[in-house]
Amino acid sequence: MKILVTAKRVTDPDMKIKVKPDGTGIVTDGMNYKINPFCEIAVEEALRIRERGVNAEIVVVGIGPKEAATEIRTALAMGADRGILVLMDRYYDSTVVAKILKKIVEEEKPDLVITGKQAVDDDSNQASQMLAEFLGYPQACFASKIELVDGGKKAKVTREVDGGLETIQVELPAIVSADLRLVDQPRYPTVPNILKAKKKPLKEVPVESLGIDITPKTEFVKMTEPPTRKAGIKVPDVPTLIEKLKNEAKVL
Amino acid sequence: MAKTLIIAEHSKGQIKKATLSSITAATKIGGGYSIVVVGKDVRGVADQYAKYGAEKVYTIDNDVFKNYIAENYAEAIAQLIKANNFEFVFGSATAFTKDLLPRLAAKFDAGMASDVLAIEVSGSDVVFARPMWAGNAIAHIKITSPIKFATIRATEFDHAKEVGSTSPVESFSASVDPAKAKVEYIEFAETKSERPELTEARVVVSGGRGAKGPEGFKMLEELADLLNAAIGASRAAVDAGWVPNDLQVGQTGKIVAPELYIACGISGAIQHLAGMKGSKVIVAINKDEEAPIFQVADYGLVADMFKAVPEMIAAIKSSR
Amino acid sequence: MLLTHQNLLGLLFAQEKSSLIPTHSSVLSMILYVLIIAAGLAIFAYLIYQRWQILKIGKYEDRFSNFGARIKNVILVAFLQRRIFNELQAGLMHAFIFWGFCVVSINSITFLGEGFISGFHLPLLGPDQILGKFYGFMKDLFEVLVLIGLGIAFYRRLILRPKRLTYSFEANLILIFILILMISDFFMFGIKLNTGELPHEFSKFVFASAVVGNWVSSLSVDTQETIFMINFWTHLVVFFTFLNLLPLSKHFHVITSIPNTYFVKLTPKGQLTKMNLEDETAESFGTSKIEDLTWKQIFDTWTCTECGRCQTYCPAYETGKPLSDKEINQSLKHHIYDEAPYIIEERKKKSAQTTGQPAQEKAEETRKRPSMIGEVIKEDTIWACTTCGWCEEACPVQIENIGRIVDFRRYLVLTESNFPKEATSVFKGLENNSNPWGLGSNKRQDWAEGVEGVRWASDTPEFEYLFFVGCAGSFDDRNKKITKAMVKILNAAGVNYAMLGNEEGCCGDSARRLGNEYLYQMLAQTNVETFNNYKVKKIITTCPHGYNTIKNEYPQFGGNYEVYHHTEFILKLINEGKLKLKNPINQTFTYHDSCYLGRINGIYEEPRNILKGINGVRYKEMPRHHYKSFCCGAGGGRMWLEEHIGTRINANRTEEALSLNPDAIAVACPFCLIMLDDGVKDKGAEDRVKVLDIAEIVAKAIE
């Protein structure tokens, strides 16, 4: 079978994020980047599906600038087989991502697509669902467990929803988006695998060559800093604390 | 004709408060709003929603919608939207809406804003403010497609109040072929506990080395019960075996962001802070006035928790 | 002479003797003698040949260059028994036996030679020559010392029974053999004196033999001859049995220990080997099987005497973890002996193939070798080590344990990605953000907000010293205070220094010690590049781990700097008058020697001198101090791992410190600070005992 997974290049979520004074974006000087943690989970799950006994080719797709190849190589070092980087250097939103991925899916014809449920820079959590609709595929989002059943023709997916866990069964091909608890910890690549990954095929595809409409359906206006946390105060005693929590913070 | 359609949520025959925030968001847009309730035997829910000033409350009521399946719900609501001239489609940012709304948006090749914090209307321009980088930056965007979809962050918009009058409730007949979805609903396993789950609780009462043992945590549990709070713990308390390790808050434990985080006897090492610094209000109670936790606490009390916490318990009890 | 059967018998069992030694009066005896020697030597040669073959399985390692340094080490450690004397009783015991052995071996040559040539002696060592008389005296003196040593040894093994020893039959057997050799020698010399085969005057020199001789002098000559004969054959047989027992027992160290001290590691104690990670065809990195070991690592396992000194202050062993340098030696040794025949066989087959001979049936393919990592050496053992260096410091024969444990870790991490889960976020944090906590690398200089007088390299064009703050000093709240104290001290002393701020990266120590050499090399190379871009020549650091790796390991990556630990540097400033310790501190202090500062890098006195130079300080030494200091438990990357087995290492050390009832425990390492601070809090003693870094103490004293 063929599994398609995503690997987005995102700013490291542990880095300090500062909005540029002119509001056009965040400061990227000295920024560190890494693979989107949810995508990393998706890659790890694909590898585990294979290790559980399915003969699968795992293809990684990323969208971004040339540097985004690094994150695809990370996925290859974990064990994926080949990568596709769609070169993109202009403003885009989830609708564009979904359209690009649709084109890739139509070309690659994977049986299963596992994405990260959201990217930790954008935090939209839209592209996977939109992709499913564009393709007419069933969707199983926020997955915390995936099981191939019915001879690999269906996937039984447990989803993290409000108040509990929901289990559904989807016919393949389907779109599954990975939630945090799908995998306890993505593997740390071994050095032999890191060295091998350098040689695995990684195709760079300029987005224009896909021949699709990539007009975004949103427009960026500006970016602002969030309201800052007011410096804390020390209270002298319990009655004062309770009073402040009740009347000032309004949390009691 | 109402400008905004709100996708309402319900559970066990009751409305969900979160949807009321979407109603408030819709009033910011102006031009009226309608509400749609999808499910099986949802007339009772629709009647409740009818108290909140909608132009119309639609029900899409059928066996097909007994269990939530995104493909079916999206197809049904899309038909409703096509039959009307809605410009905006909102829902509160819950797992249900987050799963459904993008699929619905894609049916219209439309743009969507996730987790909206604020809406600014100036003339015909509507600008949505939404968080990026886990809220470390706020992006202000416009949606350029004819129909505009958005999930609303419920904590940022007050719950709408009942208006006194009743909206008309109309049933909408959507034709949906469940076989097209290729999805089979299996089951829902609800998480049960007397105490709210640590990562979802509104209030968390957390103990550290200062609790000195399981007895300290018994005291914190009393406070937590009063506040309907979850119990959390620092690494030190878990390592010492005073509490089970699924209560650990921190870099290697759980990341929580409740409205109120009360840290008792916790010094505030970086690893712990990493797990709770997203909390809306942080209270710290610690004997050591130099404890790093005071750097992030909104309200800090330098006191022995064995004196302060019983005082708090007594004060809260007496005020009820 | 007619060849009658009486004459023949006479020749074989002759009656008249020119010498007590039976080989000269009986052809049968001579034949037996030659046979015993030939057999003894043949077996020995075979045993040694076998071991030579095994040694060749190991990878090559250069332990041959720098003759002078090596000989010096042999003299100090082997011949002068320097490390043996770390324990006085055991030291005397062993030194007597060893030196005795050295002196008496000359006599062994004489003994064997005499069997062939009557009256044989080595040149200048005849019983009537000056040197011979001197030697005779020394021999008897040392043989008496050997007896004393044996007495102590038996006392220890049978009565005292210290817990570090391994109580085996073989150990007692060897002692008995030595006893027999000594006693039989006394008897032989004594009786020779009685019969005049040795000149009477000689008895003044071989005084002990003379005493023994007196015990039997009243017996008939025939009886004495018989006693001599019994001692002669016993001595011969025991000698060769002993010789051949050596390669088969822990007493192989008798042969291998002196060479082992020659092959000693001459690179700095804190320096680990640099791996070549560029080989894209390599399927495996690190040490996971016998063929991955170097010949020296094989040789080490033969040299272990099972003395157990490595265990005495091993933080892991002492707190119940399944880690013991001795046990690793034994397990590896047995594993190597078990598997070597098959490995040698395989290699023979392989080389037969390459010479064009038809491929042999792979008969041994079905044999599954027990895994060196996992079965022979447990993973818990490998991860329990804090690399504190005690075992290597204590070992009288200088067996190297830390390097091989890291080699095992390298295999587990680099090839299998099989390591304690807690380390994953540490590796990822180091990789992405250059610190083990994974906090944003652009937050590294946040500690400096609001701090006066900070100097950054990017704004300070010509700085003399780079103050390397390190990860703990940058991100850990408690340790940020030490960084601020250092800034205060450096400014007060007018030092021309600068810090890198966000340009600084983790020194890499934790990565390397945990076995992640790939990550370490990346971190080290990045730092070296940054340092060299700023033309850094001198570095000050508050962390002994950073100190160790920058000083001793960065040269492997082209980084050669003068590195100072902050205690060295502060003492220098005090001695130069640039810092005045004017404020008294009326408190009782004790000081905890950090492993990476003390044992591994030899800095012991500087922190003490600083403390003692402050007015009002009362100083108390902990029982385990200086090179015996007990590890806090954080080294070897274990700062980041959970302790699942036994009791806590830091609790052990904290108890010791608290037993002195100090007002404060002084430390000079951020890890020790965290560990002991936690330890004190765990004991509920934080109100009465503070844990303070030397820098903080000095900052108070200079205010």
Side-chain angles (χ1 to χ4, degrees), chain A residues 14 16 32 185 188 191 199, chain C residues 280 414 417 424 432 442 446:
Chain A
D14 291 300
K16 214 187 322 188
N32 294 335
Q185 205 166 65
Y188 190 75
V191 173
K199 300 234 179 71
Chain C
E280 307 205 338
L414 302 176
S417 255
T424 314
N432 295 319
N442 58 3
D446 283 0

Side-chain angles (χ1 to χ4, degrees), chain B residues 209 235 251 270-271 290, chain C residues 437 475 481 642 678 682:
Chain B
R209 199 191 302 271
R235 171 85 182 267
Q251 203 176 6
I270 333 169
Q271 298 89 323
E290 295 205 7
Chain C
W437 291 285
F475 292 106
K481 295 194 181 149
E642 312 263 337
D678 272 2
D682 278 342

Side-chain angles (χ1 to χ4, degrees), chain A residues 194-232:
Chain A
I194 294 174
L195 296 174
K196 274 191 210 140
K198 294 190 186 165
K199 300 234 179 71
K200 288 182 180 171
L202 203 172
K203 191 169 65 165
E204 285 184 6
V205 178
V207 69
E208 302 81 14
S209 70
L210 292 176
I212 56 175
D213 172 22
I214 50 170
T215 326
K217 301 295 176 182
T218 57
E219 190 186 301
F220 175 81
V221 175
K222 65 172 184 215
M223 201 166 280
T224 55
E225 290 267 352
T228 44
R229 193 165 201 113
K230 249 203 342 226

Side-chain angles (χ1 to χ4, degrees), chain B residues 13-319:
Chain B
Q14 301 296 317
I15 64 168
K16 281 243 172 127
K17 294 253 175 60
T19 304
L20 300 178
S21 296
S22 289
I23 294 174
T24 309
T27 57
K28 288 220 108 195
I29 299 286
Y33 49 89
S34 289
I35 299 174
V36 60
V37 184
V38 186
K40 169 90 180 119
D41 296 333
V42 291
R43 181 58 202 245
V45 174
D47 284 338
Q48 290 171 59
Y49 275 119
K51 300 189 185 143
Y52 292 92
E55 205 174 275
K56 252 195 205 139
V57 177
Y58 293 97
T59 60
I60 306 183
D61 197 326
N62 194 295
D63 265 334
V64 175
F65 310 111
K66 178 148 168 269
N67 293 309
Y68 166 70
I69 287 176
E71 294 76 356
N72 295 338
Y73 276 49
E75 177 55 40
I77 300 173
Q79 290 174 17
L80 176 66
I81 294 174
K82 287 190 188 122
N84 293 279
N85 265 346
F86 296 115
E87 195 187 329
F88 295 88
V89 181
F90 288 174
S92 292
T94 59
F96 163 76
T97 314
K98 289 195 268 199
D99 188 61
L100 170 63
L101 210 67
R103 183 152 199 145
L104 186 56
K107 281 192 184 291
F108 296 91
D109 199 9
M112 175 174 154
S114 291
D115 219 9
V116 170
L117 306 168
I119 302 174
E120 221 179 271
V121 180
S122 58
S124 56
D125 266 350
V126 178
V127 178
F128 297 95
R130 54 166 305 259
M132 287 179 70
W133 285 284
N136 279 304
I138 312 292
H140 301 256
I141 62 171
K142 285 196 250 196
I143 303 176
T144 55
S145 50
I147 310 183
K148 302 152 176 56
F149 293 77
T151 54
I152 305 296
R153 183 178 279 191
T155 51
E156 294 300 315
F157 293 85
D158 288 336
H159 291 162
K161 301 263 188 295
E162 292 184 16
V163 299
S165 57
T166 312
S167 322
V169 175
E170 191 180 299
S171 117
F172 179 81
S173 172
S175 89
V176 169
D177 177 8
K180 271 211 181 139
K182 302 183 215 137
V183 178
E184 189 191 323
Y185 185 91
I186 309 268
E187 68 169 4
F188 174 59
E190 205 177 341
T191 41
K192 288 200 188 308
S193 98
E194 316 98 39
R195 201 164 267 121
E197 208 267 305
L198 184 53
T199 52
E200 323 239 282
R202 193 188 73 87
V203 181
V204 174
V205 174
S206 201
R209 199 191 302 271
K212 294 209 191 316
E215 310 75 42
F217 274 89
K218 286 266 176 316
M219 184 180 70
L220 294 179
E221 276 169 28
E222 220 193 305
L223 177 61
D225 284 340
L226 280 178
L227 300 174
N228 195 27
I231 291 280
S234 75
R235 171 85 182 267
V238 166
D239 277 352
W242 303 335
V243 282
N245 57 2
D246 63 346
L247 295 190
Q248 186 184 329
V249 171
Q251 203 176 6
T252 53
K254 295 203 162 76
I255 313 281
V256 301
E259 286 211 6
L260 174 59
Y261 189 89
I262 306 179
C264 306
I266 294 179
S267 66
I270 333 169
Q271 298 89 323
H272 186 79
L273 294 188
M276 43 65 86
K277 60 183 157 69
S279 310
K280 189 140 164 268
V281 176
I282 298 175
V283 170
I285 302 175
N286 196 301
K287 269 198 311 191
D288 175 12
E289 60 185 327
E290 295 205 7
I293 189 110
F294 288 119
Q295 307 290 340
V296 297
D298 298 288
Y299 303 103
L301 176 60
V302 181
D304 184 341
M305 65 180 260
F306 282 92
K307 294 212 180 71
V309 173
E311 247 189 87
M312 282 179 78
I313 293 172
I316 296 173
K317 271 191 184 152
S318 70
S319 74

